[in-house]
């Protein structure tokens, strides 16, 4: 697949937020993204490896936008939050956004969509409307979906055995991407939670346990 680099966004500290799209035009776009939380390197690595594979696959041709790292300041610093101390996945302008935070690490910001990283992403959505979004995180291995993408979740589950769920009990996510996109753009969001690094688990092992499922998905009618 051939990709064109889009005009980058700017982080809170002024660094580039890179984004890429496939050639051609489309009314709707698949999104592949990672690094919403800067300390979740596992999801960033998996998207990096998948992106490398996609660039080598000449037979694939579907509208796709890739954002390798949304929270570039947090990724550089190794922090969940951005350089303004905000959890980007609690800062979207969904109707359930709340100024209250259960814990400091879930700081939603001074107002909904206050952060430049999220403003950039929403500008991309306005210019390239999402068909569906695959966003990669890391916590414990499971696949959470919002909207009509159960088939994608179940396909991936067949390969990696991760639990599939719609809601995470005891873990509300006001102002999240999964709240915003189905509501405002009528498009589903699949949140892919990778396992975290440990003495027994490397980044490459995390990729390898997901490689076949993700490559199969990219070749399937669910994406193409």
């Amino acid at each position: 697949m051939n990709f064109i680099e889009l005009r980058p966004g700017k982080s809170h500290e002024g660094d580039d937020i890179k984004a890429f799209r496939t050639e051609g035009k489309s009314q709707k776009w698949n999104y592949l993204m990672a690094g919403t939380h800067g300390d979740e390197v596992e999801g960033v690595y998996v998207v990096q490896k998948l992106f490398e594979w996609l660039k080598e696959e000449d037979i694939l041709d579907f509208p796709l936008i890739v954002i390798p790292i949304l929270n570039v300041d947090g990724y550089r610093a190794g922090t969940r939050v951005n350089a303004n101390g905000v959890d980007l996945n609690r800062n979207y302008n969904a109707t359930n956004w709340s100024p209250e935070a259960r814990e400091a690490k879930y700081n939603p910001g001074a107002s909904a969509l206050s952060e430049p990283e999220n403003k950039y992403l929403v500008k991309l959505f306005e210019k390239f409307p999402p068909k569906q979004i695959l966003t990669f995180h890391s916590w414990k291995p499971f696949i959470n979906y919002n909207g009509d993408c159960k088939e994608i979740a179940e396909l991936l589950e067949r390969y990696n055995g991760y639990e599939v769920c719609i809601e995470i009990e005891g873990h509300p996510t006001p102002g999240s991407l999964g709240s915003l996109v189905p509501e405002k753009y009528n498009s589903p969001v699949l949140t892919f939670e990778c396992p975290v690094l440990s003495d027994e688990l490397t980044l490459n092992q995390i990729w390898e346990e997901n490689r076949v499922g993700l490559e199969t998905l990219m070749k399937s009618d669910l994406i193409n």
Side-chain angles (χ1 to χ4, degrees), residues 45-82:
Y45 185 82
V46 169
V47 167
Q48 173 192 339
K49 298 296 287 185
L50 183 57
F51 190 26
E52 290 172 357
W53 175 80
L54 286 166
K55 286 186 282 189
E56 298 297 322
E57 288 297 307
D58 293 335
I59 62 171
L60 294 180
D61 182 21
F62 58 89
L64 177 65
I65 289 176
V66 179
I67 304 165
I69 304 173
L70 180 65
N71 183 6
V72 292
D73 296 342
Y75 186 74
R76 183 179 58 255
T79 60
R80 175 186 176 90
V81 296
N82 74 348

Short mmCIF file of all heavy atoms in Angstrom, two decimals, residues 45-82:
data_model
loop_
_atom_site.label_atom_id
_atom_site.label_comp_id
_atom_site.label_asym_id
_atom_site.label_seq_id
_atom_site.Cartn_x
_atom_site.Cartn_y
_atom_site.Cartn_z
N TYR A 45 3.98 -0.14 19.46
CA TYR A 45 4.84 -1.09 18.75
C TYR A 45 4.03 -1.96 17.79
O TYR A 45 4.44 -2.18 16.64
CB TYR A 45 5.57 -1.98 19.76
CG TYR A 45 6.58 -2.91 19.13
CD1 TYR A 45 7.86 -2.47 18.81
CD2 TYR A 45 6.26 -4.24 18.87
CE1 TYR A 45 8.79 -3.33 18.23
CE2 TYR A 45 7.18 -5.11 18.30
CZ TYR A 45 8.45 -4.64 17.98
OH TYR A 45 9.36 -5.50 17.40
N VAL A 46 2.88 -2.43 18.23
CA VAL A 46 2.05 -3.28 17.38
C VAL A 46 1.59 -2.50 16.14
O VAL A 46 1.63 -3.02 15.01
CB VAL A 46 0.85 -3.84 18.16
CG1 VAL A 46 -0.16 -4.49 17.22
CG2 VAL A 46 1.33 -4.86 19.19
N VAL A 47 1.18 -1.27 16.31
CA VAL A 47 0.76 -0.45 15.17
C VAL A 47 1.95 -0.17 14.25
O VAL A 47 1.81 -0.20 13.02
CB VAL A 47 0.08 0.85 15.64
CG1 VAL A 47 -0.07 1.84 14.48
CG2 VAL A 47 -1.29 0.53 16.22
N GLN A 48 3.10 0.08 14.83
CA GLN A 48 4.31 0.29 14.02
C GLN A 48 4.60 -0.92 13.14
O GLN A 48 4.85 -0.80 11.94
CB GLN A 48 5.51 0.57 14.92
CG GLN A 48 6.84 0.64 14.19
CD GLN A 48 8.02 0.63 15.17
OE1 GLN A 48 7.90 0.94 16.34
NE2 GLN A 48 9.18 0.22 14.67
N LYS A 49 4.53 -2.12 13.72
CA LYS A 49 4.81 -3.33 12.95
C LYS A 49 3.73 -3.58 11.90
O LYS A 49 4.03 -3.99 10.77
CB LYS A 49 4.92 -4.53 13.90
CG LYS A 49 6.05 -4.44 14.92
CD LYS A 49 7.42 -4.44 14.26
CE LYS A 49 7.80 -5.79 13.71
NZ LYS A 49 9.19 -5.80 13.18
N LEU A 50 2.49 -3.32 12.25
CA LEU A 50 1.41 -3.51 11.29
C LEU A 50 1.53 -2.51 10.14
O LEU A 50 1.32 -2.86 8.97
CB LEU A 50 0.05 -3.36 12.00
CG LEU A 50 -1.20 -3.61 11.15
CD1 LEU A 50 -1.19 -4.99 10.52
CD2 LEU A 50 -2.45 -3.41 12.01
N PHE A 51 1.89 -1.29 10.45
CA PHE A 51 2.08 -0.26 9.43
C PHE A 51 3.21 -0.65 8.47
O PHE A 51 3.08 -0.51 7.25
CB PHE A 51 2.37 1.07 10.12
CG PHE A 51 2.36 2.28 9.22
CD1 PHE A 51 1.61 2.32 8.05
CD2 PHE A 51 3.09 3.41 9.57
CE1 PHE A 51 1.60 3.45 7.23
CE2 PHE A 51 3.09 4.54 8.77
CZ PHE A 51 2.35 4.56 7.59
N GLU A 52 4.29 -1.15 9.01
CA GLU A 52 5.40 -1.61 8.17
C GLU A 52 4.95 -2.71 7.22
O GLU A 52 5.31 -2.74 6.04
CB GLU A 52 6.56 -2.11 9.04
CG GLU A 52 7.27 -1.00 9.81
CD GLU A 52 8.28 -1.55 10.80
OE1 GLU A 52 8.39 -2.80 10.93
OE2 GLU A 52 8.95 -0.75 11.47
N TRP A 53 4.15 -3.64 7.75
CA TRP A 53 3.65 -4.74 6.92
C TRP A 53 2.71 -4.22 5.83
O TRP A 53 2.80 -4.64 4.67
CB TRP A 53 2.93 -5.75 7.81
CG TRP A 53 2.28 -6.86 7.05
CD1 TRP A 53 2.88 -7.98 6.54
CD2 TRP A 53 0.89 -6.97 6.70
NE1 TRP A 53 1.95 -8.77 5.91
CE2 TRP A 53 0.72 -8.17 5.99
CE3 TRP A 53 -0.22 -6.15 6.94
CZ2 TRP A 53 -0.51 -8.58 5.51
CZ3 TRP A 53 -1.45 -6.56 6.46
CH2 TRP A 53 -1.59 -7.76 5.75
N LEU A 54 1.84 -3.30 6.17
CA LEU A 54 0.90 -2.75 5.21
C LEU A 54 1.62 -2.07 4.05
O LEU A 54 1.20 -2.18 2.89
CB LEU A 54 -0.04 -1.75 5.89
CG LEU A 54 -1.12 -2.34 6.80
CD1 LEU A 54 -1.75 -1.26 7.66
CD2 LEU A 54 -2.20 -3.04 5.97
N LYS A 55 2.71 -1.39 4.35
CA LYS A 55 3.46 -0.69 3.30
C LYS A 55 4.11 -1.64 2.32
O LYS A 55 4.47 -1.25 1.20
CB LYS A 55 4.49 0.24 3.93
CG LYS A 55 3.88 1.48 4.56
CD LYS A 55 4.91 2.47 5.06
CE LYS A 55 5.51 2.07 6.36
NZ LYS A 55 6.36 3.14 6.96
N GLU A 56 4.25 -2.90 2.71
CA GLU A 56 4.85 -3.90 1.83
C GLU A 56 3.81 -4.70 1.05
O GLU A 56 4.17 -5.47 0.16
CB GLU A 56 5.72 -4.87 2.66
CG GLU A 56 6.89 -4.21 3.36
CD GLU A 56 7.89 -3.61 2.39
OE1 GLU A 56 8.13 -4.24 1.33
OE2 GLU A 56 8.41 -2.52 2.66
N GLU A 57 2.53 -4.52 1.39
CA GLU A 57 1.46 -5.32 0.78
C GLU A 57 0.86 -4.59 -0.42
O GLU A 57 -0.05 -3.78 -0.29
CB GLU A 57 0.38 -5.62 1.82
CG GLU A 57 0.80 -6.63 2.86
CD GLU A 57 1.09 -8.00 2.25
OE1 GLU A 57 0.23 -8.52 1.54
OE2 GLU A 57 2.19 -8.52 2.51
N ASP A 58 1.34 -4.91 -1.60
CA ASP A 58 0.89 -4.23 -2.81
C ASP A 58 -0.52 -4.63 -3.24
O ASP A 58 -1.19 -3.89 -3.97
CB ASP A 58 1.86 -4.50 -3.97
CG ASP A 58 3.23 -3.86 -3.74
OD1 ASP A 58 3.29 -2.87 -2.98
OD2 ASP A 58 4.22 -4.36 -4.29
N ILE A 59 -0.97 -5.80 -2.82
CA ILE A 59 -2.28 -6.27 -3.28
C ILE A 59 -3.43 -5.64 -2.50
O ILE A 59 -4.58 -5.70 -2.94
CB ILE A 59 -2.39 -7.80 -3.22
CG1 ILE A 59 -2.25 -8.30 -1.77
CG2 ILE A 59 -1.38 -8.47 -4.12
CD1 ILE A 59 -2.56 -9.77 -1.61
N LEU A 60 -3.15 -5.05 -1.35
CA LEU A 60 -4.20 -4.43 -0.54
C LEU A 60 -4.49 -3.03 -1.05
O LEU A 60 -3.58 -2.28 -1.42
CB LEU A 60 -3.80 -4.38 0.93
CG LEU A 60 -3.66 -5.72 1.65
CD1 LEU A 60 -3.25 -5.50 3.09
CD2 LEU A 60 -4.96 -6.51 1.60
N ASP A 61 -5.77 -2.65 -1.04
CA ASP A 61 -6.14 -1.32 -1.51
C ASP A 61 -7.46 -0.93 -0.86
O ASP A 61 -8.53 -1.33 -1.30
CB ASP A 61 -6.26 -1.31 -3.04
CG ASP A 61 -6.60 0.07 -3.58
OD1 ASP A 61 -6.36 1.06 -2.86
OD2 ASP A 61 -7.12 0.14 -4.70
N PHE A 62 -7.39 -0.20 0.22
CA PHE A 62 -8.58 0.30 0.88
C PHE A 62 -8.24 1.61 1.59
O PHE A 62 -7.07 1.87 1.88
CB PHE A 62 -9.15 -0.72 1.87
CG PHE A 62 -8.20 -1.16 2.95
CD1 PHE A 62 -8.11 -0.47 4.14
CD2 PHE A 62 -7.40 -2.29 2.78
CE1 PHE A 62 -7.25 -0.88 5.15
CE2 PHE A 62 -6.54 -2.71 3.77
CZ PHE A 62 -6.46 -2.00 4.96
N PRO A 63 -9.21 2.48 1.82
CA PRO A 63 -8.93 3.78 2.43
C PRO A 63 -8.53 3.63 3.90
O PRO A 63 -9.28 3.07 4.70
CB PRO A 63 -10.25 4.54 2.27
CG PRO A 63 -11.29 3.49 2.14
CD PRO A 63 -10.63 2.33 1.47
N LEU A 64 -7.36 4.14 4.23
CA LEU A 64 -6.82 3.96 5.58
C LEU A 64 -6.02 5.18 5.99
O LEU A 64 -5.22 5.71 5.21
CB LEU A 64 -5.93 2.72 5.62
CG LEU A 64 -5.21 2.42 6.93
CD1 LEU A 64 -6.23 2.08 8.03
CD2 LEU A 64 -4.22 1.26 6.75
N ILE A 65 -6.22 5.61 7.21
CA ILE A 65 -5.42 6.66 7.82
C ILE A 65 -4.72 6.06 9.04
O ILE A 65 -5.34 5.38 9.85
CB ILE A 65 -6.28 7.87 8.21
CG1 ILE A 65 -6.73 8.59 6.94
CG2 ILE A 65 -5.52 8.82 9.12
CD1 ILE A 65 -7.66 9.74 7.15
N VAL A 66 -3.41 6.30 9.13
CA VAL A 66 -2.61 5.77 10.23
C VAL A 66 -2.03 6.93 11.04
O VAL A 66 -1.42 7.84 10.48
CB VAL A 66 -1.46 4.89 9.70
CG1 VAL A 66 -0.62 4.35 10.86
CG2 VAL A 66 -2.00 3.74 8.85
N ILE A 67 -2.25 6.87 12.34
CA ILE A 67 -1.66 7.83 13.28
C ILE A 67 -0.82 7.02 14.24
O ILE A 67 -1.33 6.42 15.19
CB ILE A 67 -2.75 8.62 14.03
CG1 ILE A 67 -3.68 9.31 13.02
CG2 ILE A 67 -2.12 9.66 14.96
CD1 ILE A 67 -4.96 9.80 13.62
N PRO A 68 0.50 6.93 14.02
CA PRO A 68 1.33 6.04 14.83
C PRO A 68 1.38 6.40 16.31
O PRO A 68 1.39 5.51 17.16
CB PRO A 68 2.72 6.17 14.18
CG PRO A 68 2.44 6.63 12.78
CD PRO A 68 1.24 7.52 12.89
N ILE A 69 1.43 7.71 16.62
CA ILE A 69 1.49 8.15 18.02
C ILE A 69 0.71 9.46 18.12
O ILE A 69 1.14 10.49 17.58
CB ILE A 69 2.93 8.38 18.51
CG1 ILE A 69 3.78 7.12 18.32
CG2 ILE A 69 2.92 8.80 19.98
CD1 ILE A 69 5.26 7.34 18.64
N LEU A 70 -0.40 9.45 18.80
CA LEU A 70 -1.17 10.68 18.97
C LEU A 70 -0.55 11.58 20.05
O LEU A 70 -0.37 12.77 19.86
CB LEU A 70 -2.62 10.35 19.35
CG LEU A 70 -3.54 11.54 19.56
CD1 LEU A 70 -3.74 12.33 18.26
CD2 LEU A 70 -4.89 11.10 20.12
N ASN A 71 -0.23 11.00 21.18
CA ASN A 71 0.29 11.75 22.32
C ASN A 71 1.83 11.74 22.28
O ASN A 71 2.48 11.05 23.06
CB ASN A 71 -0.24 11.14 23.62
CG ASN A 71 0.20 11.89 24.86
OD1 ASN A 71 0.81 12.94 24.80
ND2 ASN A 71 -0.12 11.32 26.02
N VAL A 72 2.40 12.51 21.37
CA VAL A 72 3.84 12.44 21.17
C VAL A 72 4.63 12.97 22.36
O VAL A 72 5.72 12.46 22.68
CB VAL A 72 4.26 13.18 19.87
CG1 VAL A 72 3.74 12.44 18.66
CG2 VAL A 72 3.78 14.62 19.86
N ASP A 73 4.11 13.97 23.05
CA ASP A 73 4.79 14.49 24.25
C ASP A 73 4.80 13.45 25.36
O ASP A 73 5.83 13.22 26.02
CB ASP A 73 4.10 15.77 24.76
CG ASP A 73 4.18 16.93 23.78
OD1 ASP A 73 5.04 16.89 22.87
OD2 ASP A 73 3.39 17.88 23.93
N GLY A 74 3.65 12.83 25.58
CA GLY A 74 3.57 11.80 26.61
C GLY A 74 4.42 10.60 26.29
O GLY A 74 5.04 10.00 27.17
N TYR A 75 4.48 10.23 25.00
CA TYR A 75 5.31 9.10 24.59
C TYR A 75 6.78 9.38 24.87
O TYR A 75 7.51 8.52 25.36
CB TYR A 75 5.08 8.81 23.11
CG TYR A 75 5.78 7.57 22.61
CD1 TYR A 75 5.31 6.31 22.93
CD2 TYR A 75 6.92 7.67 21.82
CE1 TYR A 75 5.93 5.15 22.48
CE2 TYR A 75 7.56 6.52 21.35
CZ TYR A 75 7.06 5.27 21.68
OH TYR A 75 7.71 4.14 21.23
N ARG A 76 7.21 10.60 24.57
CA ARG A 76 8.60 10.97 24.82
C ARG A 76 8.91 10.96 26.33
O ARG A 76 9.98 10.53 26.75
CB ARG A 76 8.88 12.35 24.23
CG ARG A 76 10.33 12.82 24.36
CD ARG A 76 10.57 14.18 23.74
NE ARG A 76 9.72 15.21 24.31
CZ ARG A 76 8.66 15.74 23.71
NH1 ARG A 76 8.32 15.34 22.50
NH2 ARG A 76 7.93 16.67 24.31
N ALA A 77 7.95 11.40 27.12
CA ALA A 77 8.16 11.49 28.57
C ALA A 77 7.82 10.19 29.29
O ALA A 77 8.15 10.04 30.48
CB ALA A 77 7.31 12.63 29.14
N GLY A 78 7.15 9.26 28.61
CA GLY A 78 6.74 8.02 29.26
C GLY A 78 5.58 8.20 30.22
O GLY A 78 5.47 7.49 31.22
N THR A 79 4.67 9.14 29.91
CA THR A 79 3.53 9.42 30.78
C THR A 79 2.22 9.11 30.08
O THR A 79 2.10 9.27 28.87
CB THR A 79 3.51 10.90 31.21
OG1 THR A 79 3.43 11.73 30.04
CG2 THR A 79 4.78 11.25 31.99
N ARG A 80 1.25 8.72 30.85
CA ARG A 80 -0.10 8.48 30.32
C ARG A 80 -0.68 9.75 29.72
O ARG A 80 -1.25 9.74 28.62
CB ARG A 80 -1.00 7.96 31.44
CG ARG A 80 -2.46 7.78 31.03
CD ARG A 80 -3.32 7.40 32.24
NE ARG A 80 -4.73 7.32 31.89
CZ ARG A 80 -5.34 6.22 31.45
NH1 ARG A 80 -4.67 5.09 31.31
NH2 ARG A 80 -6.64 6.23 31.17
N VAL A 81 -0.53 10.84 30.45
CA VAL A 81 -1.15 12.11 30.08
C VAL A 81 -0.27 12.88 29.09
O VAL A 81 0.90 12.54 28.88
CB VAL A 81 -1.41 12.96 31.32
CG1 VAL A 81 -2.43 12.28 32.23
CG2 VAL A 81 -0.11 13.22 32.10
N ASN A 82 -0.84 13.91 28.48
CA ASN A 82 -0.04 14.75 27.59
C ASN A 82 0.77 15.76 28.41
O ASN A 82 0.76 15.72 29.65
CB ASN A 82 -0.94 15.44 26.55
CG ASN A 82 -1.77 16.59 27.10
OD1 ASN A 82 -1.87 16.78 28.32
ND2 ASN A 82 -2.39 17.35 26.21
#
